[in-house]
Amino acid sequence: MKTYIDFLRRELEVRLDEATLFDVDCPLRLGAAIRYSLLGSGKRLRPLFVIFATEMCGGNRDSAMPAACAVEMIHAYSLIHDDLPAMDNDDLRRGRPTCHKQFDEATAILAGDALIPFAFEMLSKLSPDVVGRCSLELARAAGASALVGGQMDDIEKEKDIDTKQQEPAIKLLERIHQRKTGALIRVSLRLGGIIAGASDEWIAGLDNFGQKFGLAFQITDDLLDVLGNEETVGKRLRKDAAMDKWTYPALLGIEESKSEALRNINEAIAELSIFDNSIAKEILTNLTRNLIGREK
Ligand code: GRG
């Protein structure tokens, strides 16, 4: 199982590498910054989800590769921009200097910018019968009411006294993460289903799984910030507490956060019961189960 994941990661990285051999019109520095961030050692969770969802719905892995690359490109852009001084101001990502530290801020902004249209260029390589729907779904998931909107609310949340009074912190935090982290995870699964020609029921099952997985992923990410090892995680930790940020451990405590993560993990796995048994389903189940003990 681990070997299949490793094989897919290598395959994805070859595709991403080939896709970013830019022509002469792309400035060398920009191309280098894009490749630096995109090809760094990520877990490739979202592209793996595209592939596993396709396989679980009876589709073929190769047909899903353009969408798998596309979601990783959107993810890479969001990390580059999130690390900028105007946002999270991080100097370490995937065990290396962040893009703006390695290059400079303007280059990092442009590298992130370039990855967005690039993702849609990748999607255009999908079969013509699914390309329109996949483009719409990815555009929405990456847009102002999802990924970008979640990030905006995340930046604003501690400042906004009115919102704080209107909505309990934990509910707002959940709504932020549904968009900031959850939307891209959900759409990765949905794209896999669409590419395989899955029924609405199956796509809804994938979506529900993604929603629960996304929350559990975010809670365990917050727990990693408190309990994790900086070298293993590959980014600066203990920043959330130092900045007094709203996180699950800060709002619920460590033990309750773990229970909340576990509840979402179990509910996510239950959503997969509508699918026939397959290697992809088994891997997805194990990936989800292992979230609770994840070290990076
Ligand atoms: C800038 C529009 C915009 C959005 C940024 C991705 C994001 C939104 C913020 C990152 C902050 C963060 C720590 C989010 C928690 C969950 C998350 C997305 C972690 C990073 O994803 P991984 O763990 O990263 O899949 P790798 O490096 O493995 O790909």
Side-chain angles (χ1 to χ4, degrees), residues 40-46 72 75 77-83 87-88 93-94 142 147-152 154 177 180-181 184-185 217-218 221-222 233 235 294 296:
S41 66
K43 293 184 284 298
R44 314 292 178 211
L45 201 58
R46 295 149 193 83
E72 188 66 9
H75 174 57
Y77 122 74
S78 77
L79 295 181
I80 297 172
H81 282 193
D82 184 65
D83 288 334
M87 300 213 197
D88 235 19
R93 167 72 62 189
R94 293 176 166 175
L147 174 68
V148 176
Q151 177 77 349
M152 181 86 232
D154 195 20
H177 294 319
K180 185 181 123 175
T181 311
L184 200 53
I185 290 177
F217 185 73
Q218 181 63 53
D221 203 77
D222 285 357
V233 180
K235 64 177 187 183
R294 80 183 174 110
K296 60 182 197 168

